[in-house]
Structures are given as structure tokens and as C-alpha cells.
Amino acid sequence: MTHGESKVLRVASLARVEGEGALHLRIHDGEVAEARLKIYEPPRFFEAFLRGRSSTEPPDITSRVCGICPVAYQMSACRALEDARDIVVGERLAALRRLLYCGEWIESQTLHIYFLHAPDFLGGDSIIDLARTHRTQVERGLALKQAGNAIVELLGGRAIHPVNARVGGFHRVPTRAELRPLEERLRRARDDAEATVRWVAGFDFPDTGIDNELLALAEPGTYAIDSGTPTAMTAPSSAGLPADTDRALPTRTFPLATFPDHVIETQVPHSTALHSRLDGRRHLTGTLARYAISGRWLPPDVLQVAGDAGLGDPRAGTVCRNPFRSIIIRAVEVLYAVGEALRLIDTYEPPPRPYVDVPDRAGTGHGATEAPRGLLYHRYTLDTDGTVTEAALVPPTAQNQAAIEQDLLHTVQERLRTGPHPTDAELTALCERVIRNHDPCISCSAHFLDLSVDRD
Amino acid sequence: MPALSDRRPQLGVWKFASCDGCQLTLLDCEDELLGIAEQVEITYFLEASSAPGPGPYDLSLVEGSVTTAEDTERIQHIRAASDRLVTIGACATAGGVQALRNYADVAEFQAAVYARPDYIDTLATSTPISAHVPVDFELRGCPIDRGQLIEVITAYLAGRTPDVPAHSVCFECKRRGTVCVTVAHGTPCLGPVTHAGCGALCPAYNRGCYGCFGPSNSTNFPSFIPLLRRDGMDTLDVVRVLRTYNTAAPEFDAAVRKELPG
């Protein structure tokens, strides 16, 4: 490149994430002037065509936003549509929903750990490559993922776009005997999950930290998955601390019905995903946020494994803000979800009816659950006969986009300052890793990231 | 250079507008994935590999529908580089749920979702791959079925036609021994007009089929729609259920047009 000229380079494609995006880096005098994650997946207009549909339809329709986390869409939709009619399903139905969600957590988080993320730490371009060098581990990952799929298939009919969830509960609930075959598989999965935590804890992690507010649902006493109150933890800089501080900072909560007042979406020219800010500040949802906010309520045996893996003790206020280490937390969450699934199967009592009636009436309802990659919020307004008149979906990756850009800027800057001059290929590999740390579900279109670097 | 017989077939997996679910079905073949990877070289599959190969490809699996001007060109390149091209899923075979825009004012859709619709580049339609290039085989489903996907891949590897029956979901219900939800409970069910492949899941979970595999090879809507009405569906309900995941499938589309007044 000629000095003093700016030039756009297309040097790579981002693989092993969900969705279509490009990255634009502008470097001026050795400093990163701008880092943009450009999401240009073709829009699919769910919020537009949900208008006019029946209130029974959003759980099935919105699951089609994402084949990787369809249960998250179904559960957030059900909660919002029930909220619009002031209905809360009973404990037994709620337990069954949590079991279904645990299945998705196990398979989706395992997919990310083994298929998408591990090759970054071990070399190789894919799980197929890894299978040549790490056959035992890859087979363990496949078995673990299969255990998650088995739960979703049994409760939902199939692993992708399951058919059994409905507003008010399920179309059909299983007998105790039908759930029993899952137990042996999950007991093996627990060993595999524990081995996964130990395995990924041994990877090599750069020292870094992120300076964002963290947002997750919280349900004191339990690790929030399928319900809870939005809870935000202050960013380190607001408290005058460095980005990589591992201290817990003050949290605040707000009622879910006020979510649209706190998380404000705006459109930026370079993205088909809307950007959002939490009370005007950049925030991050997902694995790091959940562990910071709910980690203290993990069962002691899971906390022990997490502590041995170097994550510290969330009960003592330790917070992990290093996104490269998110793979360890993800593995801990799989271990938790396997144990939670076993507990839910062990204590399962079939509900008296597969669903509760949800009579039509006009209203607006809010629903949020923890998709594997972060808080997923749905809002629906219904008219008196149950027709959807307005729909809003706020997925985690749209919320995380600004934080991912900040993380890119920070990491590339560090690299430019500390190491030898990087090639474009090295920069691309680094940026891809930074993006994958956040397991973005850009979902919905071709997967590639063109890195363009402007140097002037 | 390896002998010709040692050369493994090159597989490409491509994505257009969609949810990723049909590609994920390939990764969900946990028991078969490593075996498949021994039989074929997965040359291009960005969801799973960061080392895309340039082709040509012996078999390309295409997910998703065409919704941007750039994609109308990209599919031409993929077709030109592929010996066989198979579409996977409802988006690639029938435009997918995003084809609901085909019946609406897409500018109004854009304005409903985006404050600055002028930033958004999209076509007014979502069309199946076959509207743009010749397709060798269409695998149906939203999402596709794992077993059928493995059958398609192995069939092309063996140089034979895939054995994927095109009869209706009703056959699968009978085979599964599921009591007919329409006959026994008066539940509206699209099974009689829907392509087999899912194993008749919905009736087994006490609900009517909602048509996610699209039309079967022989549909008889003049006889079928009165059955839906008998079981309590009005015109709007009929239109909604046919206009969802396979809305642009010609058989579903024609049936809806007959229902709509004017």
C-alpha cells in the first residue's frame, strides 16, 4: 500500500458465526480511528408481517428468525403473549418449559464451543480439522450436543423449530416414563460437560477486559434462563476502574414492562440490525453478563468446577470481563443446564392439563428470556379478538453490536501498540476471534465478513 | 496428485436469506457427520469452516431465498461452479416466510421496521432458487429432515436419484399409527395437502399439521378447503395457514387466490 493513500482491502471472510456481516477498520497513523461491524444480512421483516396474524402464531413464526435458538424465540413470544392477557402458567408447565430451554442451551452452547470457537484456540479451520487432531474431544462434543438435541426432540418433536410449544404451555406433555430415557444420556453428558470445562480452561487466553454495562435477567436464588427481571451492572469506567477489573459493581433493575424506555434502538447506516443502548450507554448481554449477575446462584458443585477452571467465585464478587474466557463460562453453563435438566426430570410431575387457556383481550405484553447468546425481548400489542397489531423483537446480537465494535477497536489498538506490525491476515484472524467470543447470531443470511482496512 | 478415484467429491453449502436452520441440520447429524466428512470434502461451508475453497463443486446445497440484487448474481456464480445443485428447505424451494412481502407493499414493510428505510437494500420479492437457476433437486421442509438430507447426499455420491417420497403427511401418520386428529377431534390439519418428510410430527403432538414442508405432489384443494371450514376455520384462517412458511409455493398460492374475494 502506498503511504498516504487510503485503500480498501478485502482480505477475508468471517466464518463460524451465524449471519452475514462485514468489518470495516480505519487505521490512521497506527491508531484505529474506527471499527465497524457491518451487519448486512437481508432484512426479513418479521415485525412487519406479524401484524395481522393471530395471537397463537408468533411462537411458531418467530422461531424462524433463528434455527440456532428457536426455543428462545418461542419462549419469549409465549411469555409476552401471556403477559398481554395477564396469564402466568403454573409451576409444572414452567418447569417443563425450563427443561426444553435447557436442551437448547446444551446444544447451542456446545455447538459454539466445539464447532465455532475451539478451532480459534487449537488451530484448524473447522471441527472436521479438529477431528483429525482432537478426535476424542470432538466425539465428546458431538455426544454432548446430541444430548441437548435429545431433550428438544423429545419435548418439542424436533431439534430445529420444535412444534410442541404454544401460548399457555404445550400441545402435549410427556409422561414421566417418556422422560426417563433422557436420564442415562444426561448422566453421561454431565461427565462430558465437566470434561469440557476442564478442556477449555486449558486454552491460552489473552489478557483483556471490556468496559460495558452488563445486562441479564435475574431471578434471585436461581440461574435465570426462562424468566427474571432485567438487571444491569455498571461499567467499570463509570466507577473509575480499569476495563478488566474483576470486581462486582453496583446493579440496578427495572420492570420488564419498561424495557422499551431503557433499551432504545436506533438505526445506523452500516447495519440492517438496529443498534441499541441501555439508558444511553453501551451494554453487553449474554454469557459474561449472565455469569456476572446470576453466577452466585449456581449450585455449589458447578461453582466448584468453575472455580477450578479459573473463573473465581462469583459469591465473593468476582466478575469475568475477559471475552476470550467466555468459552469457559459457556462450558460452565452447559454443565449447569445438564444438571438442571436432570433435576427437572427427577422432580417432574405431569401438569393436570398440557396448557392453560389464554382468553383473548386487548393489551400489550412483554416477554424476555435468556437466549444462549443473550437477553431476547418480545413485545406484542393485541386487539380484542387476539389479532397482533404491533410486534417488536429485540435480539441479543443487535444489543451487543456496539459493545462488539468497542471490543474490536480496543483489541486491535492493543495489538497495534504492543506487537510487531500485523499483516492484514493477522488482523482479520484477530478480529474474527473477537467477534466469535460474543457468539453473535447475526442469523438470517450468508456468513461472511469482508474485512476492509483503510490506512491513511 | 491423487489418482482420480481417490479424489473425494467437493461439497459446497451456501446460504441466502434464511434462519440457518437447514444448514444446522447437517451439523445436527452428530452420528454421521464425521463419516460424511470422510466421504466428501466439505470445500465451502462458512457456518462450519473458515477455509472456503474456490470450487468447482460436485454438489452444492443451497439454503435461503433470493431477496437482494447482489444475491441474484451470486446464485448464478454458484450454479456455474456446481455440477449438481440441490436446494434445502422452504426458503430455497418456496421463498420462505420472508416471501410474505410478495403480497405486501415492501416499502411499507421497510418503514414499519426501520426508521431509515433508505439505508436498507432489498428486493420487493423473496423468490426460490429455481426462479433464478436450474435446480437438480429440491428438498423440502422448514426445517429439512435430517434423514432426508443424508439420503440426498448419499444418493448424489452414489450417482442415483434421491429416494424422497412426495406423498402427503397422512401416509406418515398412518405409518406411525397416529390417530387422525381431524377425524377424531375435528382439528384442522394440513396433512392431506402437505409434503411428507417430518414423520408426521404435529399430529403426534396433538396438533394439526401447519404445512411447513409445503405442498405434496398431489393436492386437492377443492375437496380439502371445505374440510377446514367444517372444522371451524374462516377465510382469514385458511389464508393465514397457507400463507406462512411456504407461501410462494404455487399450489398454496393458487389455493389462497381462490379463497380471497375479488
Side-chain angles (χ1 to χ4, degrees):
Chain A
M1 187 175 0
T2 313
H3 181 72
E5 240 177 60
S6 59
K7 192 176 174 188
V8 176
L9 299 175
R10 289 179 182 276
V11 294
S13 19
L14 179 66
R16 309 201 317 267
V17 296
E18 293 88 43
E20 182 180 68
L23 177 73
H24 178 88
L25 276 185
R26 193 155 62 80
I27 298 172
H28 181 72
D29 279 348
E31 299 278 314
V32 187
E34 195 174 18
R36 278 183 178 175
L37 173 61
K38 299 164 68 176
I39 293 179
Y40 55 89
E41 73 195 39
R44 294 166 70 213
F45 301 118
F46 277 83
E47 288 154 313
F49 63 65
L50 281 165
R51 296 170 306 171
R53 307 298 299 205
S54 156
S55 64
T56 56
E57 294 181 284
D60 290 323
I61 291 179
T62 61
S63 72
R64 268 68 182 187
V65 172
C66 179
I68 318 282
C69 53
V71 171
Y73 278 88
Q74 293 185 341
M75 295 298 103
S76 286
C78 286
R79 292 192 73 87
L81 291 159
E82 289 154 14
D83 181 56
R85 275 79 68 91
D86 268 339
I87 299 283
V88 178
V89 303
E91 222 171 276
R92 291 181 187 180
L93 282 169
L96 208 50
R97 283 181 165 176
R98 191 169 170 88
L99 176 60
L100 175 66
Y101 219 140
C102 283
E104 178 158 291
W105 266 38
I106 296 165
E107 60 89 7
S108 174
Q109 301 280 50
T110 303
L111 175 85
H112 191 262
I113 293 167
Y114 281 89
F115 286 66
L116 312 183
H117 211 182
D120 277 348
F121 296 94
L122 301 171
D125 296 309
S126 69
I127 193 168
I128 308 297
D129 284 348
L130 280 193
R132 295 190 192 106
T133 51
H134 297 77
R135 183 85 184 191
T136 312
Q137 290 88 340
V138 165
E139 285 179 355
R140 181 178 68 208
L142 290 169
L144 190 52
K145 180 163 158 299
Q146 202 170 33
N149 277 349
I151 297 175
V152 182
E153 283 167 10
L154 195 145
L155 278 182
R158 61 187 172 200
I160 300 164
H161 308 325
V163 301
N164 193 24
R166 57 165 285 171
V167 180
F170 291 88
H171 292 279
R172 177 184 176 282
V173 291
T175 61
R176 283 182 62 83
E178 283 176 302
L179 288 185
R180 206 156 295 135
L182 288 176
E183 284 178 299
E184 197 192 329
R185 189 191 280 267
L186 286 169
R187 274 193 289 272
R188 284 198 307 270
R190 187 155 58 188
D191 293 339
D192 287 340
E194 206 174 314
T196 301
V197 179
R198 285 198 299 272
W199 183 53
V200 299
F203 292 173
D204 190 19
F205 301 103
D207 280 329
T208 186
I210 43 155
D211 183 23
N212 307 118
E213 296 225 339
L214 300 174
L215 176 67
L217 296 178
E219 205 175 0
T222 190
Y223 201 76
I225 296 178
D226 52 330
S227 65
T229 307
T231 302
M233 184 180 278
T234 306
S237 58
S238 307
L241 293 167
D244 58 356
T245 181
D246 68 351
R247 279 173 46 188
L249 291 168
T251 58
R252 64 183 192 284
T253 65
F254 54 85
L256 185 62
T258 64
F259 190 89
D261 303 325
H262 291 276
V263 178
I264 309 286
E265 292 190 294
T266 52
Q267 195 184 354
V268 293
H270 64 270
S271 174
T272 49
L274 301 175
H275 271 217
S276 56
R277 298 233 157 207
L278 171 64
D279 296 325
R281 293 185 287 273
R282 199 173 53 239
H283 71 288
L284 184 74
T285 76
T287 301
L288 291 176
R290 274 196 299 263
Y291 194 72
I293 287 162
S294 288
R296 76 189 89 159
W297 293 303
L298 285 168
D301 58 326
V302 176
L303 280 172
Q304 178 69 45
V305 174
D308 293 346
L311 288 177
D313 188 349
R315 287 169 306 187
T318 310
V319 167
C320 173
R321 286 194 175 82
N322 182 342
F324 287 92
R325 297 172 82 88
S326 65
I327 192 170
I328 311 177
I329 304 180
R330 217 163 265 127
V332 167
E333 289 191 331
V334 174
L335 177 64
Y336 169 71
V338 172
E340 182 68 354
L342 277 165
R343 184 189 71 78
L344 289 164
I345 291 169
D346 189 47
T347 56
Y348 175 64
E349 292 289 340
R353 288 182 63 216
Y355 58 90
V356 294
D357 291 319
V358 184
D360 283 327
R361 70 164 216 220
T364 293
H366 308 259
T369 63
E370 286 288 337
R373 45 200 62 74
L375 191 156
L376 169 63
Y377 167 83
H378 286 214
R379 179 176 72 250
Y380 300 97
T381 300
L382 306 173
D383 69 12
T384 46
D385 71 355
T387 303
V388 176
T389 56
E390 201 186 338
L393 316 174
V394 184
T397 296
Q399 296 183 68
N400 289 346
Q401 204 179 336
I404 296 173
E405 288 183 347
Q406 177 61 25
D407 199 9
L408 281 165
L409 198 141
H410 172 76
T411 309
V412 173
Q413 193 60 67
E414 284 288 298
R415 176 68 186 80
L416 292 175
R417 280 190 189 144
T418 55
H421 192 69
T423 63
D424 285 338
E426 284 166 349
L427 270 185
T428 303
L430 179 67
C431 290
E432 290 189 345
R433 288 190 66 179
V434 168
I435 293 169
R436 274 190 214 109
N437 284 339
H438 297 286
D439 187 14
C441 189
I442 302 170
S443 176
C444 312
S445 193
H447 297 102
F448 65 96
L449 177 114
D450 287 333
L451 173 69
S452 57
V453 183
D454 281 358
R455 288 194 169 94
D456 49 29
Chain B
M1 196 172 166
L4 198 61
S5 59
D6 292 339
R7 179 186 166 276
R8 286 181 300 159
Q10 311 279 304
L11 178 72
V13 184
W14 311 90
K15 183 171 147 53
F16 290 77
S18 68
C19 77
D20 280 45
C22 293
Q23 294 186 68
L24 181 64
T25 303
L26 184 55
L27 301 182
D28 273 355
C29 299
E30 291 96 357
D31 289 332
E32 300 87 4
L33 183 65
L34 298 181
I36 292 171
E38 281 163 14
Q39 297 295 313
V40 299
E41 190 165 338
I42 301 177
T43 311
Y44 191 100
F45 186 7
L46 279 176
E47 180 164 12
S49 170
S50 52
Y57 310 93
D58 295 279
L59 174 61
S60 274
L61 302 175
V62 180
E63 172 187 285
S65 64
V66 174
T67 62
T68 66
E70 191 184 344
D71 283 347
T72 59
E73 290 170 20
R74 190 160 62 97
I75 190 60
Q76 301 290 344
H77 294 303
I78 293 168
R79 175 70 263 188
S82 308
D83 183 32
R84 298 281 175 167
L85 190 151
V86 170
T87 61
I88 54 172
C91 297
T93 61
V97 68
Q98 56 272 8
L100 285 166
R101 80 182 66 183
N102 299 0
Y103 310 98
D105 174 1
V106 82
E108 193 275 329
F109 266 29
Q110 281 177 265
V113 179
Y114 295 102
R116 289 295 304 266
D118 51 312
Y119 292 167
I120 302 299
D121 171 32
T122 184
L123 295 174
T125 54
S126 166
T127 42
I129 301 302
S130 64
H132 302 269
V133 295
V135 169
D136 294 295
F137 189 80
E138 293 182 320
L139 186 60
R140 292 172 181 272
C142 180
I144 55 170
D145 175 74
R146 189 157 53 202
Q148 291 196 336
L149 177 64
I150 290 171
E151 163 59 17
V152 166
I153 294 174
T154 49
Y156 278 105
L157 288 178
R160 61 176 173 80
T161 310
D163 179 18
V164 175
H167 53 231
S168 75
V169 167
C170 293
F171 285 75
E172 297 190 303
C173 252
K174 300 293 170 285
R175 192 175 297 147
R176 194 172 174 145
T178 304
V179 172
C180 176
V181 294
T182 299
V183 171
H185 311 295
T187 304
C189 177
L190 291 190
V193 295
T194 298
H195 198 287
C198 68
L201 280 183
C202 286
Y205 282 78
N206 285 348
R207 68 183 291 192
C209 163
Y210 60 85
C212 66
F213 271 64
S216 61
N217 60 342
S218 59
T219 53
N220 183 350
F221 282 99
S223 295
F224 176 63
I225 291 199
L227 204 60
L228 294 181
R229 291 192 186 285
R230 185 202 69 187
D231 293 331
M233 294 180 85
D234 63 20
T235 299
L236 190 57
D237 295 328
V238 172
V239 169
R240 276 178 186 147
V241 76
L242 291 173
R243 278 202 173 157
T244 315
Y245 311 104
N246 289 276
T247 180
E251 297 88 338
F252 281 8
D253 185 47
V256 167
R257 286 178 196 279
K258 278 201 180 132
E259 287 305 294
L260 289 172

